[in-house]
Amino acid sequence: MAHRSTADIWRLLAEADVVHGLHYFLMHAVFVLWDGGPVALRLPSVLAVAATAAGVGLLGHRLAGPRAGLLAGLALPLLPAMQRYAQEGRSYALVCALVTWGTWLLLEALDGGGRKRWAGYGAVMLAACLLHEFAVLGLIAHGTTVALSRKALRPWAVTAAAVAAGLSPLALFSATQSGQVAWIGAPDASDLGVFAATALLGTACARLGRATIRRPVSLPTLALPLLILPAGLLLALSLLRPLYVDRYVLYGSIGLALLIGAALDRLPSRATVATVSLVAATVALLPFGLQLRTPESRSDDVNAVAEAVREMSAPGDGLVFTPARRAWVLANPGAYAHLDDLALASSPAASGTLFGTEVAPAEIRARMLAAPRIVAVADAYGEPGDSTGRAATKSAVLRAHFEVCDTRRVTRAQITVYARPGYC
């Protein structure tokens, strides 16, 4: 997407992915300045987590003292979720940085007031919401903090209303593309368990660090709403329409890191105990951190899928996708150049779509029957079904007229080579 022109990105957003539009334009600008491949793609996330850790450190310093701030800033990048999304070319780490510094500006506005401070807070929070709409749940958490402090509720409400007004066009338009989140299932026991365990840990840390409370805004009254409310509200909303994905509320990690830092600061012999605790946490998380830095830790290993296709196929073989998701080809098009994409009608960029358009089912059937061998790349899980009949046509033709020569599972891709009898 970063390599498409701005006109092509606008064209796509009219049909799909408008919720990620700001991030697409941002990454397009990065690639214009420096086409650094995966490094350029991921560098904004790395810098964003660094900015988040710095902001968390300053928030902890402001609310609970310098040692608590330092410990909170060190704790944040140790959290597994932050380690993961510091590595990914997505918007979630950027949202964390904006919510962190939006929180700082909120405290500035509560302490000093003034239109400029409230406007700065509103602008940063609106940017976070435009990068990902569910950052608005962080705005609600801020409202809880303001209500608990019994201070400046009216200017916060005016600012929040302005943010909501700025977000509303995107929210209303993105609702017309709601089919893109059809893959999200209802929260399961693990989702609820992780939320409950994190909330209990945060509450325990808040009680341990209660001596750090400073009125009117204390660290617990700021951090607990950030930790609990966004995830809790999204889980509750998912009872009506499944929308809960933990990365959508990644910025809740800000609250957890603040609470951990304050709790460590209050331990007996706190300097020694806090240091030992952080070292122990680092050692305990080391296996996870190392595994997280391998291709196997991701659901889509595009290079491994491309290599498997290259090994299993021969020049001139046909290629079909079920469903029509060409993410693997887009990431590494050269690896598929020797294959004939039998269903493709128009490329993604030319058609202004995510994955391109496909010909009618009857044409797909005719093209497949003319091919002696076909490589089928299927999603093993995680993608919504195809309601156009194209996927059903592909499957029916393969079952009726071809036999399986080879099959291989690579992360979530199922790669199968089919051939007409005698062509394996």
Side-chain angles (χ1 to χ4, degrees):
M1 196 61 62
H3 284 97
R4 294 192 191 185
S5 68
T6 54
D8 284 341
I9 295 175
W10 274 117
R11 187 182 174 197
L12 166 74
L13 299 182
E15 303 294 333
D17 258 13
V18 69
V19 292
H20 298 306
L22 181 57
H23 188 238
Y24 288 160
F25 283 116
L26 172 64
M27 296 312 304
H28 174 80
V30 169
F31 274 70
V32 168
L33 293 172
W34 175 48
D35 194 348
V39 176
L41 183 68
R42 294 168 181 161
L43 185 60
S45 294
V46 176
L47 297 176
V49 171
T52 302
V56 165
L58 290 175
L59 287 169
H61 187 169
R62 183 172 189 151
L63 296 173
R67 186 181 291 108
L70 176 62
L71 293 169
L74 292 173
L76 181 109
L78 291 178
L79 299 176
M82 295 304 300
Q83 289 194 51
R84 171 167 184 169
Y85 290 102
Q87 302 175 35
E88 296 205 355
R90 299 188 180 193
S91 63
Y92 306 110
L94 297 169
V95 172
C96 280
L98 289 170
V99 172
T100 299
W101 288 97
T103 304
W104 174 267
L105 291 171
L106 173 66
L107 295 181
E108 288 282 295
L110 290 174
D111 285 347
R115 292 183 178 179
K116 289 185 178 180
R117 292 184 178 184
W118 283 109
Y121 164 68
V124 171
M125 291 305 297
L126 178 58
C129 293
L130 293 176
L131 269 176
H132 198 278
E133 291 178 15
F134 286 138
V136 75
L137 299 175
L139 191 70
I140 295 173
H142 286 164
T144 302
T145 297
V146 173
L148 291 172
S149 70
R150 300 178 183 179
K151 183 179 180 181
L153 187 57
R154 182 175 180 179
W156 174 85
V158 171
T159 305
V163 173
L167 177 63
S168 58
L170 175 64
L172 291 172
F173 189 77
S174 66
T176 66
Q177 301 176 355
S178 60
Q180 287 192 260
V181 292
W183 59 271
I184 301 177
D188 56 23
S190 65
D191 293 323
L192 297 175
V194 169
F195 171 72
T198 304
L200 288 173
L201 174 61
T203 303
C205 288
R207 289 181 61 84
L208 184 60
R210 61 187 179 275
T212 66
I213 294 177
R214 296 181 179 183
R215 300 295 182 186
V217 177
S218 68
L219 189 144
T221 58
L222 178 76
L224 274 175
L226 269 176
L227 172 62
I228 295 174
L229 277 182
L233 290 172
L234 194 55
L235 281 168
L237 182 62
S238 293
L239 296 175
L240 303 175
R241 165 87 186 258
L243 288 171
Y244 179 78
V245 181
D246 56 359
R247 61 177 177 265
Y248 292 173
V249 287
L250 179 65
Y251 55 86
S253 300
I254 300 164
L256 181 59
L258 286 169
L259 292 163
I260 290 173
L264 289 175
D265 184 47
R266 300 304 303 172
L267 290 173
S269 304
R270 51 193 179 182
T272 302
V273 173
T275 301
V276 170
S277 298
L278 282 173
V279 170
T282 303
V283 172
L285 290 171
L286 185 60
F288 173 85
L290 292 175
Q291 193 274 336
L292 193 60
R293 286 158 176 79
T294 65
E296 292 75 23
S297 67
R298 299 303 195 268
S299 60
D300 288 332
D301 183 353
V302 293
N303 290 327
V305 172
E307 182 60 29
V309 169
R310 186 185 294 109
E311 292 175 357
M312 297 169 69
S313 61
D317 284 352
L319 175 67
V320 295
F321 295 91
T322 54
R325 181 177 177 270
R326 292 176 171 79
W328 299 287
V329 174
L330 296 177
N332 196 347
Y336 300 83
H338 64 291
L339 300 174
D340 182 13
D341 193 338
L342 297 175
L344 186 65
S346 183
S347 69
S351 62
T353 60
L354 282 173
F355 303 123
T357 58
E358 294 194 339
V359 297
E363 179 65 18
I364 292 175
R365 184 176 189 278
R367 291 183 183 184
M368 292 178 67
L369 290 175
R373 281 170 44 103
I374 295 175
V375 179
V377 183
D379 274 314
Y381 66 91
E383 289 297 318
D386 179 2
S387 60
T388 67
R390 290 175 173 85
T393 297
K394 295 169 190 174
S395 298
V397 171
L398 291 172
R399 285 196 305 268
H401 301 280
F402 291 81
E403 60 185 18
V404 175
C405 299
D406 191 11
T407 187
R408 190 180 304 180
R409 172 78 174 270
V410 182
T411 58
R412 84 173 170 188
Q414 187 74 38
I415 306 162
T416 306
V417 177
Y418 292 89
R420 301 298 287 269
Y423 281 90
C424 277

